[in-house]
Amino acid sequence: MNFKENESAQKLRGGYYTPSDLAAFIARWVKQIEPKHVLEPSCGDGVFFGALAELEGFEKTKVTGFELDAEEAEKARARSRDLGLKAAIHAQDFLEWAIESRADPRVRFDAVVGNPPFVRYQYLPEPFQERAEQIFKEMKLPFTKHTNAWVPFILASMSLLRPGGRLAMVVPAEIIHVTHAQSLRSYLGRECRRLVIIDPEEIWFSDTLQGAVILLAEKRASDTEKAEGLGMVPVKGREFLSHDPADVFNMPKAINGRTVDGKWTRALLNVETRSLFDQLTEHKDVHRFEDIAKVDVGIVTGANKFFLVPDETVSTYKLDKFAHPMFGRSEHCPGVIYDERQHRTNAEKGNPTNFLWFTGREEGMSKSVRDYISAGEAQKLHTRYKCRVRSPWYTVPSVYSTEIGMLKRAHDTPRLILNTMGAYTTDTAYRIRTTKVAAEKLVGAFINPLTSLSAELEGRHYGGGVLELIPSEIEKLVIPLTERAVVDLRELDKGIRSLSTHRVLERQGRIILGALGLSREDQHRVLEGWRSLRDRRHRTSSEEIAFDA
């Protein structure tokens, strides 16, 4: 976990400014409705003002901007004056102003442009947290403290947009898939006539691993106007900026239904793959994970480096009585079987293969064990929240192992691990208990193109492109299970260790999807659906969209 004190001042205020060419593209799109009043809720030093001023006729448009940082707000004022814009720049919190102004129907805007701050809720000062939560409450939307500042910024901005108005913003690419943005996605799907995401292959902000997209949203002109849904425009490079923004906005075919109601990742698939995926989820031998297994988080220690140690530490402090085998990292589990041999290999490498489960009071422990506990206290580990709420602090609760484990994060695709030696797992992994299928069967069936595609659709990813799944997302995964599919778990384990993920999934597809009656062509279509989403997540390759001149 990242802590606030370890983050840069730039990251804490979300100060990553929009490149001028992207701002110009956005300004050209909103100019097409000839707005009389434009809102910029997080104007920084005024990059969007420069883009607006370059367009003919904008000298008569009123611009209202907000910037919390007083120095940046003054730069924006000076810039707007130099550009001859009719701009009012407020050095105050936009959300505070929006909460006061939303009730006044006279305060509405024709267009909203900008780049809202990318700041985690936990990093916001308490007054800002309260305002963020209030926006959700007033708009009757589900709220979670896992949210990010850009979510309430967009919600408040949309609520201040007049019917038929346009919102165009540079936002984190995670708008497509993170759970905490579901309220926003649902709200936009209801309120907008049409939504378009311009999804670049490259990262636009060089100072951060955070991917970004352009959100173009046109609000419905009336309650009776039909909501068309969402369209995706994948782009490579900056060539799209030379085209008419209206052509880009109207290019993708909008899709609706479950694609807009849930995560927008589905919109990244072509219609044939979406249709095939939906058909397969209805197959009698395809099950939701929650119907065949239960998911629980791993052991929460509160101080993994203290409780997870190599053999050397166990020997030095004579901790053998309290040391138990464990795994919790991808390098600990290169295959799908965790057994004595893999455990020995990890130990020989000096990996932290021991979980320390202290039982009893300190008074009854040997001096060397007490010395180890004292060393932890010298690092103030006992003052950490998850440790200090325990008595004694070094006694970890909810300690048990399961026959199956699953790492929380994956590079290519998630996999289940058959835990044949009963090793413990920390909260870097999940504990899986089957309910209707043998453990070996579930571990072998889990690796296939359909489940891998399902994981891409349900999961999320952040900087670096690693796929992460939380329990509620794992429960939605689809798993094909049929007696006709026989998987040799040892062969699968060997293949995962030595072959590419694509080769393994292709082979597993023939065994498992073939047993469902799926043709080679359809097996390939599912596999390519996974590959396309995996490659987008890794930002390794994509086909550039073709624009008509």
Side-chain angles (χ1 to χ4, degrees), residues 302-303 305-307 375-388 393:
K305 288 185 178 179
F306 177 83
F307 290 100
E377 291 171 350
Q379 300 173 54
K380 299 189 182 303
L381 300 183
H382 61 299
T383 66
R384 293 186 179 182
Y385 174 74
K386 290 177 181 176
C387 293
R388 72 171 184 263
W393 72 269

Side-chain angles (χ1 to χ4, degrees), residues 320-340:
D320 305 74
K321 178 182 176 182
F322 306 102
H324 304 269
M326 64 77 56
F327 67 88
R329 299 178 183 173
S330 58
E331 59 264 33
H332 294 170
C333 313
V336 291
I337 301 174
Y338 194 79
D339 53 15
E340 291 280 359

Side-chain angles (χ1 to χ4, degrees), residues 353-365:
T353 56
N354 301 280
F355 164 61
L356 300 179
W357 186 15
F358 295 107
T359 55
R361 307 300 298 185
E362 190 173 348
E363 296 79 19
M365 298 176 181

Side-chain angles (χ1 to χ4, degrees), residues 352-416:
T353 56
N354 301 280
F355 164 61
L356 300 179
W357 186 15
F358 295 107
T359 55
R361 307 300 298 185
E362 190 173 348
E363 296 79 19
M365 298 176 181
S366 68
K367 181 180 182 303
S368 60
V369 176
R370 294 199 307 272
D371 286 345
Y372 186 73
I373 292 173
S374 296
E377 291 171 350
Q379 300 173 54
K380 299 189 182 303
L381 300 183
H382 61 299
T383 66
R384 293 186 179 182
Y385 174 74
K386 290 177 181 176
C387 293
R388 72 171 184 263
V389 297
R390 305 191 297 241
S391 180
W393 72 269
Y394 51 80
T395 302
V396 178
S398 187
V399 176
Y400 66 89
S401 65
T402 54
E403 199 172 0
I404 300 175
M406 177 183 176
L407 296 175
K408 186 180 292 186
R409 295 175 177 174
H411 180 69
D412 280 331
T413 192
R415 62 187 187 277
L416 301 182

Side-chain angles (χ1 to χ4, degrees), residues 65-115:
F66 290 85
E67 172 53 47
L68 193 60
D69 186 287
E71 288 187 15
E72 296 299 283
E74 186 52 46
K75 290 178 186 177
R77 288 193 192 96
R79 193 170 192 170
S80 62
R81 285 195 300 267
D82 293 343
L83 293 167
L85 284 178
K86 292 172 57 180
I89 313 302
H90 304 278
Q92 72 176 98
D93 176 36
F94 165 68
L95 290 184
E96 180 181 30
W97 177 87
I99 289 169
E100 296 172 353
S101 302
R102 287 180 63 252
D104 187 348
R106 296 171 298 177
V107 183
R108 292 296 179 267
F109 298 88
D110 303 302
V112 182
V113 299
N115 174 356

Side-chain angles (χ1 to χ4, degrees), residues 113-124:
V113 299
N115 174 356
F118 302 8
V119 186
R120 294 181 184 179
Y121 178 87
Q122 70 196 68
Y123 293 164
L124 294 171

Side-chain angles (χ1 to χ4, degrees), residues 471-529:
S472 62
E473 293 164 343
I474 296 170
E475 290 170 350
K476 296 176 184 176
L477 298 182
V478 293
I479 319 291
L481 284 170
T482 170
E483 293 302 322
R484 296 186 297 277
V486 179
V487 176
D488 185 322
L489 211 55
R490 288 288 173 185
E491 281 299 310
L492 176 59
D493 184 74
K494 185 188 302 182
I496 289 174
R497 293 167 185 263
S498 59
L499 302 175
S500 70
T501 304
H502 192 278
R503 280 279 305 279
V504 171
L505 289 177
E506 186 176 37
R507 189 167 69 182
Q508 286 285 103
R510 288 198 296 270
I511 297 172
I512 296 172
L513 301 187
L516 295 181
L518 214 62
S519 68
R520 286 291 183 92
E521 181 182 0
D522 281 344
Q523 292 173 32
H524 179 73
R525 178 170 284 120
V526 176
L527 181 63
E528 283 302 291

